[in-house]
Amino acid sequence: ARVRDQQRRGKLFLGVGVLSGLTPILLGSTTTLPAAMLAAAAVGASTSAFMTFSQGIVQTLAPDGMRGRVMSAHTWHTQGVMGGFNAVNGLLMDVPWMTVSLLFGGTGMLFAVLMLGSCLTAHLRTLYGRGLPSDVLAGVREEWGDARIERSS
């Protein structure tokens, strides 16, 4: 389903970003298989929602002639970072004192703090509070036409 309201889209982007950090903490603290399965589903849902919002914002701003290249680079970077952190997490699990709950709690909290800390920057605070600014959308409308914005909103 589309989120047409830019302000709501920005708030959801921040919310699912923070949840992407908090849900691994939940997963790391589970003690039963059913709870772990629910927590793993929450990790997947929050992470996929965060990445979908991120992709949608970048796609809205990318010019038509460059959209494929921009989206490829964006996807390559985000998934590369995820893969790199998975490799680091795997190496950290070889440390004798490391536990799953400590690893998931630490990395999850780090991401949640980074997401909340991003509110300190003016441009991201604006994105979270109001969505894409109307002057940016006006420039996109001017360049690509209103139909492009209506489809992506």
Side-chain angles (χ1 to χ4, degrees), residues 59 61-71 143-144 148:
Q59 190 168 10
L61 297 174
D64 281 341
M66 296 181 62
R67 189 168 301 121
R69 291 182 290 265
V70 169
M71 295 310 297
E143 187 174 339
W144 300 319
R148 163 80 173 83

Side-chain angles (χ1 to χ4, degrees), residues 15-16 18-20 25 34 38 49 65 70 86 93 107 118 125 132 147:
V16 295
V18 172
L19 278 176
S20 291
I25 298 170
L38 287 172
V70 169
N86 286 337
M93 284 308 296
T107 57
S118 70
R125 191 172 50 248
L132 289 173

Side-chain angles (χ1 to χ4, degrees), residues 77-89:
H77 281 94
T78 55
Q79 291 179 0
V81 168
M82 289 175 71
F85 269 103
N86 286 337
V88 170
N89 288 343

Side-chain angles (χ1 to χ4, degrees), residues 6-120:
Q6 286 297 324
Q7 184 176 11
R8 185 167 182 220
R9 183 183 289 184
K11 289 181 188 314
L12 283 171
F13 183 51
L14 175 62
V16 295
V18 172
L19 278 176
S20 291
L22 296 179
T23 52
I25 298 170
L26 177 67
L27 178 60
S29 65
T30 59
T31 56
T32 64
L33 183 59
M37 290 174 66
L38 287 172
V43 169
S46 63
T47 303
S48 63
F50 176 70
M51 292 185 76
T52 300
F53 277 111
S54 172
Q55 293 273 355
I57 289 168
V58 172
Q59 190 168 10
T60 298
L61 297 174
D64 281 341
M66 296 181 62
R67 189 168 301 121
R69 291 182 290 265
V70 169
M71 295 310 297
S72 293
H74 177 69
T75 301
W76 184 78
H77 281 94
T78 55
Q79 291 179 0
V81 168
M82 289 175 71
F85 269 103
N86 286 337
V88 170
N89 288 343
L91 290 172
L92 285 173
M93 284 308 296
D94 289 337
V95 174
W97 50 266
M98 185 60 66
T99 63
V100 171
S101 57
L102 181 61
L103 179 67
F104 281 5
T107 57
M109 187 59 67
L110 174 65
F111 190 77
V113 166
L114 287 174
M115 280 300 301
L116 290 171
S118 70
C119 292
L120 298 175

Side-chain angles (χ1 to χ4, degrees), residues 124-149:
L124 288 174
R125 191 172 50 248
T126 300
L127 175 67
Y128 301 147
R130 294 185 284 199
L132 289 173
S134 57
D135 58 333
V136 171
L137 291 175
V140 173
R141 279 190 188 98
E142 197 173 286
E143 187 174 339
W144 300 319
D146 288 335
R148 163 80 173 83
I149 296 300

